[in-house]
């Protein structure tokens, strides 16, 4: 894997160096709260209009739109699993990351920033989500030669530290 993979504290709506940012979307691709609220607020109503014909999406699925008022070229919208409801949760969460990266690769994008999908209102335990998310990205990047840089943007310092520790563990594994 030649791509850079990093985990930082920050706001997914303020990632100007990235070609695409990923939305932790709801099935209807509507604004809502959390990540979706932040991205739609920054993108403006044109993002909501672009999303409508693409909805609904299923858990694990990813779709791509323009980014409008955001400082990126695209938004990739993923529907994570609702923890304890959509099963198998780990496979569905991994599919979000794999499908998002595959879409970015097909568009020839070089950089993608992800939030921690499903760890907000969808209730996925953060430590398990970190393992699944980072494992899926590490497993998919070899099939994405255009992608040079992936960033996980965690809302708080604890989340960023958890993702950094998990990444170190996964990269240290034989
Ligand atoms: P889901 O519905 O997939 O659980 P949420 O948007 O509720 O998605 O939350 C996903 C994660 O993103 C949570 O850990 C939440 O704290 C975090 N989060 C919320 N807003 C932002 C933001 N603006 N930038 C980065 N992460 C955010």
């Amino acid at each position: 894997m030649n791509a850079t993979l990093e985990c930082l504290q920050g706001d997914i709506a303020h990632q100007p160096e990235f070609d695409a940012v990923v939305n932790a979307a709801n099935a209807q691709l509507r604004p809502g709260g959390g990540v979706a609220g932040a991205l739609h607020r920054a993108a403006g109503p044109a993002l909501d209009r672009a999303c409508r014909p693409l909805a609904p999406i299923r858990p694990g699925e990813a779709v791509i739109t323009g980014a409008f008022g955001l400082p990126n070229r695209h938004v990739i919208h993923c529907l994570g699993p609702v923890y304890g409801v959509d099963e198998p949760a780990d496979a569905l969460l991994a599919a979000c990351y794999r499908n998002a990266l595959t879409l970015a690769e097909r568009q020839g994008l070089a950089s993608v920033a992800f939030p921690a999908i499903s760890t907000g209102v969808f209730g996925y335990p953060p430590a398990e989500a970190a393992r699944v998310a980072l494992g899926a990205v590490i497993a998919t990047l070899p099939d994405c030669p255009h992608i040079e840089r992936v960033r996980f943007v965690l809302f708080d310092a604890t989340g960023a530290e958890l993702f950094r520790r998990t990444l170190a563990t996964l990269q240290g594994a034989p």
Side-chain angles (χ1 to χ4, degrees):
M1 180 176 92
N2 294 317
T4 317
L5 177 52
E6 61 190 2
C7 308
L8 297 182
Q9 182 183 5
D11 184 338
I12 193 69
H14 294 102
Q15 301 298 320
E17 325 91 281
F18 283 76
D19 291 335
V21 287
V22 174
N23 182 14
N26 47 69
Q28 298 301 328
L29 303 176
R30 299 312 307 278
V35 167
L39 290 176
H40 277 270
R41 261 194 311 280
L47 181 61
D48 192 27
R49 286 194 291 275
C51 282
R52 284 179 193 220
L54 304 174
I57 62 170
R58 294 179 308 275
E61 201 178 342
V63 294
I64 190 165
T65 64
F68 306 97
L70 283 159
N72 315 96
R73 285 163 62 192
H74 293 282
V75 179
I76 299 174
H77 308 262
C78 291
L79 179 61
V82 176
Y83 195 73
V85 175
D86 298 313
E87 297 288 353
D90 55 352
L92 292 170
L93 186 60
C96 286
Y97 290 96
R98 188 175 60 249
N99 289 331
L101 286 175
T102 303
L103 271 180
E105 173 66 21
R106 277 203 214 118
Q107 298 282 331
L109 306 186
S111 53
V112 183
F114 285 99
I117 298 168
S118 283
T119 63
V121 293
F122 284 3
Y124 214 113
E128 283 176 47
R131 201 164 31 76
V132 172
L134 288 159
V137 169
I138 290 168
T140 307
L141 280 173
D143 300 325
C144 302
H146 288 103
I147 298 178
E148 295 167 4
R149 192 169 179 207
V150 174
R151 172 179 289 178
F152 278 88
V153 180
L154 293 315
F155 215 29
D156 55 31
T158 314
E161 184 52 37
L162 169 67
F163 270 67
R164 273 198 291 271
R165 264 203 327 272
T166 307
L167 177 59
T169 308
L170 291 174
Q171 287 179 329

